[in-house]
Amino acid sequence: SGNIRVELGEKAAYQVKASVISGDINSDVPLAYTGNDRNSGSGDVGSTPSDILSIKATSGNIRIAA
């Protein structure tokens, strides 16, 4: 329970996967959302991402800042 805020580095390259059960996702990174409530999304940061950043929240909001 609670909000999550993540600040992404400018030169990083990875895939972002975010999901929340009860809350909202707000992202500076373009995400492709799934689900009726836009409670799950994923997108790439940088060129040829090789790592995955997974962010999950049960109750609270996710904020992804670039």
Side-chain angles (χ1 to χ4, degrees), residues 15-51:
Q15 183 181 44
V16 176
K17 294 184 178 184
S19 64
V20 62
I21 293 173
S22 177
D24 296 316
I25 299 172
N26 184 328
S27 177
D28 292 342
V29 176
L31 298 179
Y33 291 96
T34 58
N36 293 336
D37 296 330
R38 292 174 45 126
N39 57 353
S40 180
S42 63
D44 292 342
V45 175
S47 59
T48 60
S50 59
D51 296 316

Side-chain angles (χ1 to χ4, degrees), residues 2-5 7 12 14 16 20 24 27 35 37 41 45 50 53-54 56 63 65-66:
N3 296 329
I4 298 172
R5 179 180 169 85
E7 295 232 8
Y14 40 87
V16 176
V20 62
D24 296 316
S27 177
D37 296 330
V45 175
S50 59
L53 172 62
S54 181
K56 297 181 180 181
R63 170 72 177 115

